[in-house]
């Protein structure tokens, strides 16, 4: 089975992605992660204004069969939360890189992006 | 030792199934999506490979006596082809395993068959043999787990699917299928393979369990053009019914429970003699302190095995034994034991979801009634 790994994102080993632009980054989980989890039924996320730290837990995603912590791929202050995934968590299954995004953060250290996996590296990890 | 594999492991793998370890077996947990599989069973039909379940045949002059003394229900009421749900209890009346006992149809050699849970067949074989020898009974105990594959065809369309698959030369077909009542078994032929077919299952739907000779398993499985389902959907389906999962909703060491606490008094016949009877008679007279209940979470979150249950004063009163987001109800549901004072429907309790108290309410079982 092949999974979508978009070229314009950076990835974390724990299967979160970051899409950086203009000092901010959108964050979500990968196609591989949503497939591993199965039917997602619940997402718990921080509030706008909260801080997240690279590598630290920032929320929880639950499928019918499992609970998984979410780890921030970058540090920053939350500027937006995708509250659509609270009422329709299946968006994370259906469109993990689009409508199923989770947070937008204002980056505190853009150089952290350099330590994330490239699409090629992430593809190797999930191969 | 590596994991045991059902005879269709390669077939499931090629179909794209995900696998999980269960009772020492590597079993398919999900083929497409738990929600898809669950809904198929509720609305049409699905088929599960449950070849990890054990099979033990007990035969001989004292087979009935041995079965009677090691299971809590009354096997003497069974005619050939009848089945009953029963408990295997220890001296304290604590459930060691739950099982279905079959008095084998005349067409099959042997007297009784019972189905222990995955990974329990060796323990049950030893238990039966040890007690047989201790009591000086004349019975053979044969563990045939690796001789039989087992499939569960479940859902409102199960009967017509079974009728389409059964061989024409099976005696009395198709009435053999239509006439098969709940908790009865017969022998039917599929693609030339003689199978034991029982109108039983663990999903709450009409359906059948098919014991197929190991070497014929693939041919029989392929006869059913229906949604394959994994243990994930089996778990959500049984939870909606409030059915217990061995090792999770009861466990002789980690969570010792009696049939009365588990709400299974119908499986206990105190007018028979069996291991644990005296302890259960005492509990029956005194009443239970805790009861198995279902609850629905009223706030966002999903109850999971091991989460604490508290009262509204935040005092610990129990532990969640099973929980999920119900695919049918679209609501988070759970199972567990609470003191009888909290066991009535509509009682408010709290479940600590990752340490945060979430309001929940006790519900009557099954959830999807």
């Amino acid at each position: 089975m092949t999974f979508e790994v978009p070229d314009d994102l950076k990835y974390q080993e724990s299967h979160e992605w970051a899409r950086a632009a203009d000092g901010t980054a959108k964050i979500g989980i990968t196609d591989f992660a949503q497939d591993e989890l199965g039917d997602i039924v619940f997402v718990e996320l921080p509030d706008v204004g909260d801080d997240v730290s690279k590598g630290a837990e920032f929320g929880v995603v639950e499928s019918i069969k499992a609970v998984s912590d979410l780890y921030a791929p970058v540090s920053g202050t939350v500027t937006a939360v995708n509250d659509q995934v609270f009422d329709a968590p299946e968006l994370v299954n259906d469109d993990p890189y689009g409508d199923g995004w989770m947070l937008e953060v204002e980056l505190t250290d853009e150089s952290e992006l350099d330590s994330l996996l490239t699409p090629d590296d992430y593809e190797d990890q999930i191969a | 030792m590596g994991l045991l594999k059902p005879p269709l492991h390669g077939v499931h793998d090629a179909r794209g199934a995900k696998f999980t370890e269960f009772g020492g077996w590597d079993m398919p947990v999900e083929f497409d999506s738990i929600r898809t599989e669950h809904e198929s069973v509720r609305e049409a039909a699905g088929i599960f490979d449950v070849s990890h379940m054990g099979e033990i045949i007990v035969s001989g002059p004292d087979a009935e006596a041995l079965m009677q003394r090691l299971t809590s229900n009354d096997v003497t009421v069974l005619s050939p082809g009848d089945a009953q749900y029963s408990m295997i209890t220890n001296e304290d009346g604590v459930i060691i395993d739950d099982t279905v006992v079959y008095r084998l149809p005349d067409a099959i050699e042997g007297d009784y068959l019972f189905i222990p849970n995955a990974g329990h067949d060796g323990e049950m074989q030893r238990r039966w043999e040890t007690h047989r020898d201790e009591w000086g009974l004349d019975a053979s105990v044969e563990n045939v787990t690796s001789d039989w594959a087992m499939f569960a065809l479940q859902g409102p369309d199960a009967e017509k699917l079974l009728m389409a698959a059964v061989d024409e030369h099976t005696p009395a077909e198709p009435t053999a299928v239509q006439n098969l009542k709940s908790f009865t078994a017969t022998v039917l032929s599929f693609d030339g393979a003689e199978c034991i077919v029982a109108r039983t299952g663990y999903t709450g739907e009409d359906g059948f369990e098919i014991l197929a000779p190991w070497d014929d398993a693939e041919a029989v499985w392929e006869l059913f053009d229906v949604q394959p389902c994994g243990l994930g959907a089996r778990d959500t389906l049984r939870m909606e019914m409030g059915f217990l999962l061995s090792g999770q909703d009861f466990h002789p060491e980690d969570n010792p429970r009696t049939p009365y606490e588990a709400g299974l008094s119908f499986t206990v016949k105190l007018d028979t003699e069996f291991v644990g009877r005296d302890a259960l008679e005492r509990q029956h007279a005194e009443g239970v302190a805790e009861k198995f209940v279902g609850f629905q979470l009223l706030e966002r979150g999903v109850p999971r095995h091991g989460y604490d249950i508290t009262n509204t004063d935040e005092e610990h009163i129990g532990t969640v034994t099973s929980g999920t987001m119900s695919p049918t109800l679209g609501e988070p549901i759970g199972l567990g034991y609470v003191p009888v004072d909290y066991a009535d429907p509509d009682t408010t309790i709290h479940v600590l979801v990752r340490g945060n108290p979430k309001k929940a309410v006790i519900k009557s079982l099954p959830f999807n009634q």
Side-chain angles (χ1 to χ4, degrees), chain B residues 152-163:
Chain B
L153 177 69
Q154 302 281 294
D157 293 348
E159 183 184 271
K160 73 177 182 197
L161 286 162
L162 194 77
M163 286 171 65

PDB file of all heavy atoms in Angstrom, chain B residues 152-163:
ATOM      1  N   ALA B 152     -17.338 -16.853  11.507  1.00  0.00           N
ATOM      2  CA  ALA B 152     -18.635 -16.359  11.979  1.00  0.00           C
ATOM      3  C   ALA B 152     -19.253 -15.507  10.877  1.00  0.00           C
ATOM      4  O   ALA B 152     -18.705 -14.469  10.507  1.00  0.00           O
ATOM      5  CB  ALA B 152     -18.456 -15.537  13.252  1.00  0.00           C
ATOM      6  N   LEU B 153     -20.365 -15.992  10.330  1.00  0.00           N
ATOM      7  CA  LEU B 153     -21.113 -15.265   9.302  1.00  0.00           C
ATOM      8  C   LEU B 153     -22.277 -14.593  10.027  1.00  0.00           C
ATOM      9  O   LEU B 153     -23.166 -15.277  10.540  1.00  0.00           O
ATOM     10  CB  LEU B 153     -21.608 -16.250   8.244  1.00  0.00           C
ATOM     11  CG  LEU B 153     -22.479 -15.694   7.125  1.00  0.00           C
ATOM     12  CD1 LEU B 153     -21.684 -14.788   6.200  1.00  0.00           C
ATOM     13  CD2 LEU B 153     -23.110 -16.843   6.319  1.00  0.00           C
ATOM     14  N   GLN B 154     -22.265 -13.273  10.086  1.00  0.00           N
ATOM     15  CA  GLN B 154     -23.190 -12.565  10.970  1.00  0.00           C
ATOM     16  C   GLN B 154     -23.913 -11.439  10.235  1.00  0.00           C
ATOM     17  O   GLN B 154     -23.314 -10.739   9.415  1.00  0.00           O
ATOM     18  CB  GLN B 154     -22.411 -11.973  12.150  1.00  0.00           C
ATOM     19  CG  GLN B 154     -21.642 -13.007  12.966  1.00  0.00           C
ATOM     20  CD  GLN B 154     -22.521 -13.773  13.925  1.00  0.00           C
ATOM     21  OE1 GLN B 154     -23.056 -13.215  14.858  1.00  0.00           O
ATOM     22  NE2 GLN B 154     -22.684 -15.078  13.692  1.00  0.00           N
ATOM     23  N   GLY B 155     -25.168 -11.254  10.594  1.00  0.00           N
ATOM     24  CA  GLY B 155     -25.920 -10.149  10.025  1.00  0.00           C
ATOM     25  C   GLY B 155     -27.256 -10.601   9.487  1.00  0.00           C
ATOM     26  O   GLY B 155     -27.501 -11.808   9.319  1.00  0.00           O
ATOM     27  N   PRO B 156     -28.153  -9.633   9.203  1.00  0.00           N
ATOM     28  CA  PRO B 156     -29.499 -10.004   8.757  1.00  0.00           C
ATOM     29  C   PRO B 156     -29.523 -10.804   7.459  1.00  0.00           C
ATOM     30  O   PRO B 156     -30.481 -11.537   7.211  1.00  0.00           O
ATOM     31  CB  PRO B 156     -30.212  -8.653   8.599  1.00  0.00           C
ATOM     32  CG  PRO B 156     -29.158  -7.608   8.694  1.00  0.00           C
ATOM     33  CD  PRO B 156     -28.005  -8.185   9.423  1.00  0.00           C
ATOM     34  N   ASP B 157     -28.496 -10.692   6.635  1.00  0.00           N
ATOM     35  CA  ASP B 157     -28.465 -11.451   5.378  1.00  0.00           C
ATOM     36  C   ASP B 157     -27.758 -12.799   5.520  1.00  0.00           C
ATOM     37  O   ASP B 157     -27.576 -13.519   4.529  1.00  0.00           O
ATOM     38  CB  ASP B 157     -27.742 -10.647   4.284  1.00  0.00           C
ATOM     39  CG  ASP B 157     -28.525  -9.409   3.874  1.00  0.00           C
ATOM     40  OD1 ASP B 157     -29.707  -9.296   4.253  1.00  0.00           O
ATOM     41  OD2 ASP B 157     -27.943  -8.556   3.187  1.00  0.00           O
ATOM     42  N   ALA B 158     -27.354 -13.147   6.732  1.00  0.00           N
ATOM     43  CA  ALA B 158     -26.525 -14.350   6.913  1.00  0.00           C
ATOM     44  C   ALA B 158     -27.251 -15.607   6.433  1.00  0.00           C
ATOM     45  O   ALA B 158     -26.651 -16.476   5.776  1.00  0.00           O
ATOM     46  CB  ALA B 158     -26.112 -14.498   8.374  1.00  0.00           C
ATOM     47  N   GLU B 159     -28.546 -15.702   6.725  1.00  0.00           N
ATOM     48  CA  GLU B 159     -29.254 -16.931   6.357  1.00  0.00           C
ATOM     49  C   GLU B 159     -29.260 -17.140   4.854  1.00  0.00           C
ATOM     50  O   GLU B 159     -28.957 -18.233   4.363  1.00  0.00           O
ATOM     51  CB  GLU B 159     -30.688 -16.903   6.897  1.00  0.00           C
ATOM     52  CG  GLU B 159     -31.438 -18.188   6.601  1.00  0.00           C
ATOM     53  CD  GLU B 159     -32.901 -18.151   7.041  1.00  0.00           C
ATOM     54  OE1 GLU B 159     -33.181 -18.501   8.191  1.00  0.00           O
ATOM     55  OE2 GLU B 159     -33.752 -17.767   6.211  1.00  0.00           O
ATOM     56  N   LYS B 160     -29.584 -16.120   4.107  1.00  0.00           N
ATOM     57  CA  LYS B 160     -29.659 -16.318   2.652  1.00  0.00           C
ATOM     58  C   LYS B 160     -28.268 -16.567   2.051  1.00  0.00           C
ATOM     59  O   LYS B 160     -28.122 -17.310   1.087  1.00  0.00           O
ATOM     60  CB  LYS B 160     -30.373 -15.154   1.967  1.00  0.00           C
ATOM     61  CG  LYS B 160     -29.638 -13.868   1.856  1.00  0.00           C
ATOM     62  CD  LYS B 160     -30.493 -12.850   1.079  1.00  0.00           C
ATOM     63  CE  LYS B 160     -29.719 -11.553   0.919  1.00  0.00           C
ATOM     64  NZ  LYS B 160     -30.558 -10.422   0.566  1.00  0.00           N
ATOM     65  N   LEU B 161     -27.240 -15.964   2.643  1.00  0.00           N
ATOM     66  CA  LEU B 161     -25.877 -16.221   2.161  1.00  0.00           C
ATOM     67  C   LEU B 161     -25.477 -17.662   2.430  1.00  0.00           C
ATOM     68  O   LEU B 161     -24.851 -18.319   1.595  1.00  0.00           O
ATOM     69  CB  LEU B 161     -24.889 -15.275   2.845  1.00  0.00           C
ATOM     70  CG  LEU B 161     -24.930 -13.830   2.362  1.00  0.00           C
ATOM     71  CD1 LEU B 161     -24.252 -12.906   3.362  1.00  0.00           C
ATOM     72  CD2 LEU B 161     -24.259 -13.707   0.999  1.00  0.00           C
ATOM     73  N   LEU B 162     -25.856 -18.163   3.596  1.00  0.00           N
ATOM     74  CA  LEU B 162     -25.519 -19.543   3.934  1.00  0.00           C
ATOM     75  C   LEU B 162     -26.276 -20.514   3.027  1.00  0.00           C
ATOM     76  O   LEU B 162     -25.709 -21.506   2.536  1.00  0.00           O
ATOM     77  CB  LEU B 162     -25.841 -19.817   5.401  1.00  0.00           C
ATOM     78  CG  LEU B 162     -25.233 -21.102   5.942  1.00  0.00           C
ATOM     79  CD1 LEU B 162     -23.751 -20.922   6.215  1.00  0.00           C
ATOM     80  CD2 LEU B 162     -25.931 -21.568   7.207  1.00  0.00           C
ATOM     81  N   MET B 163     -27.542 -20.188   2.778  1.00  0.00           N
ATOM     82  CA  MET B 163     -28.341 -21.068   1.911  1.00  0.00           C
ATOM     83  C   MET B 163     -27.764 -21.115   0.491  1.00  0.00           C
ATOM     84  O   MET B 163     -27.789 -22.151  -0.168  1.00  0.00           O
ATOM     85  CB  MET B 163     -29.796 -20.593   1.867  1.00  0.00           C
ATOM     86  CG  MET B 163     -30.531 -20.924   3.156  1.00  0.00           C
ATOM     87  SD  MET B 163     -32.158 -20.165   3.240  1.00  0.00           S
ATOM     88  CE  MET B 163     -32.993 -20.986   1.920  1.00  0.00           C
TER      89      MET B 163
END
